[in-house]
């Protein structure tokens, strides 16, 4: 099956600093990737849709200046959490869309962010 | 608007029992896709199945089976002879034809299989 990687898997940072999370599709090209956020014991919440070569589309309520998304190539999307605060601590998961409409999203293993 | 409801928040069974996880969905799209994902404690989402709206055939894969019924907008998932390794959170999800591929997830069902 298709493989999507995320790096880092875990990160601890201090309040006020920025953290970059990478999402890579390893064996296919993905023009569209998605970023999700998951709080403990809750479902996945879509944050934004990342499109290669264009600006990301953010879901309502997600601050685009705080969560910067860059999809610079067909295999890489990055999420930067700027000026992180403890409330940004969460599990961040990316997915890459493979195939035509209704195609499967392949999920990365997730990144656990802890802001102290 | 699309919606996926997993009414069972938590289910606990004893190993070898059969268990059914319920999923009810809402969509105005005539073309849509339904999914089930497994999320073990490690956190990584594992894809289990995709079903399009035009294919109502039930599917069986080993101990897993799925019952898709458009008449009741349900896509239920049954694990036969459950095992401890089946313990995880299971998510049902929907993507509509006009939703730009965005997945709408249910809230998940935590399944605990006890030895």
């Amino acid at each position: 099956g298709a493989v999507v990687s995320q790096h880092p898997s875990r990160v601890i940072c201090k309040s006020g600093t920025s953290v970059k999370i990478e999402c890579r599709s390893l064996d296919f090209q993905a023009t569209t990737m998605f970023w999700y956020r998951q709080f403990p014991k809750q479902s996945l919440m879509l944050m934004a849709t990342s499109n290669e070569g264009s600006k990301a589309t953010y879901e309502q309520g997600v601050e685009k200046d705080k969560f910067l998304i860059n999809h610079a190539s067909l295999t890489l999307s990055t999420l930067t959490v700027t000026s992180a605060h403890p409330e940004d601590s969460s599990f961040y998961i990316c997915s890459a869309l493979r195939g035509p409409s209704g195609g499967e999203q392949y999920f990365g293993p997730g990144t656990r962010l802890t802001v102290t | 608007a699309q919606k996926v409801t997993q009414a069972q928040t938590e289910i606990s069974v004893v190993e070898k029992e059969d268990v059914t996880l319920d999923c009810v969905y809402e969509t105005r799209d005539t073309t849509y896709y339904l999914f089930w994902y497994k999320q073990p404690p490690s956190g990584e989402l594992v894809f289990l199945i995709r079903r399009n709206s035009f294919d109502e055939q039930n599917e069986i894969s080993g101990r897993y089976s799925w019952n898709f019924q458009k008449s009741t907008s349900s896509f239920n998932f049954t694990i036969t002879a459950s095992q401890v390794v089946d313990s995880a959170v299971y998510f049902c999800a929907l993507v509509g034809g006009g939703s730009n591929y965005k997945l709408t997830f249910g809230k998940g069902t935590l399944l605990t299989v006890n030895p």
Side-chain angles (χ1 to χ4, degrees):
Chain A
V3 179
V4 175
S5 69
Q6 269 185 254
H7 178 79
S9 58
R10 290 178 179 271
V11 57
I12 300 173
C13 70
K14 292 187 177 180
S15 190
T17 61
S18 294
V19 174
K20 179 184 284 189
I21 303 170
E22 294 186 349
C23 177
R24 294 180 185 272
S25 55
L26 298 183
D27 55 355
F28 67 99
Q29 293 182 331
T31 55
T32 302
M33 292 184 174
F34 300 90
W35 286 96
Y36 297 85
R37 183 174 183 176
Q38 186 180 30
F39 290 108
K41 298 188 177 183
Q42 293 191 22
S43 188
L44 282 76
M45 182 191 76
L46 179 65
M47 299 175 65
T49 303
S50 172
N51 297 298
E52 188 267 337
S54 64
K55 291 183 178 180
T57 304
Y58 291 82
E59 295 300 300
Q60 191 173 8
V62 177
E63 299 176 60
K64 61 181 180 181
D65 294 331
K66 180 167 188 59
F67 299 100
L68 301 179
I69 292 173
N70 186 359
H71 195 153
S73 77
L74 288 172
T75 58
L76 173 65
S77 175
T78 60
L79 168 68
T80 302
V81 183
T82 62
S83 188
H85 290 286
E87 56 265 32
D88 298 325
S89 299
S90 188
F91 192 54
Y92 292 88
I93 307 174
C94 74
S95 71
L97 181 67
R98 183 180 188 181
S101 177
E104 295 165 17
Q105 287 186 31
Y106 291 88
F107 286 84
T111 297
R112 192 164 302 282
L113 169 64
T114 303
V115 184
T116 60
Chain B
Q2 297 178 137
K3 186 177 179 181
V4 176
T5 302
Q6 294 179 255
Q8 304 148 309
T9 305
E10 296 187 30
I11 300 176
S12 182
V13 300
V14 177
E15 210 171 14
K16 297 185 182 178
E17 284 186 21
D18 298 347
V19 58
T20 296
L21 309 181
D22 297 333
C23 173
V24 175
Y25 63 92
E26 296 176 30
T27 180
R28 293 179 181 176
D29 292 324
T30 54
T31 301
Y32 53 89
Y33 295 82
L34 294 162
F35 300 79
W36 275 96
Y37 291 91
K38 174 182 180 180
Q39 188 177 41
S42 64
E44 183 167 2
L45 278 171
V46 177
F47 166 82
L48 296 178
I49 190 172
R50 178 184 66 169
R51 173 68 62 191
N52 76 54
S53 54
F54 299 107
D55 183 2
E56 286 193 72
Q57 283 190 348
N58 291 332
E59 181 155 342
I60 298 174
S61 176
R63 295 185 297 107
Y64 295 170
S65 62
W66 291 269
N67 184 351
F68 176 30
Q69 291 194 348
K70 289 179 73 171
S71 61
T72 55
S73 297
S74 65
F75 187 43
N76 296 337
F77 172 34
T78 298
I79 301 175
T80 303
S82 59
Q83 300 176 1
V84 173
V85 293
D86 296 327
S87 297
V89 179
Y90 290 86
F91 290 100
C92 181
L94 163 74
V95 60
S99 66
N100 295 321
Y101 316 128
K102 294 181 186 178
L103 274 169
T104 299
F105 282 89
K107 292 188 176 182
T109 298
L110 172 61
L111 173 65
T112 302
V113 182
N114 299 297

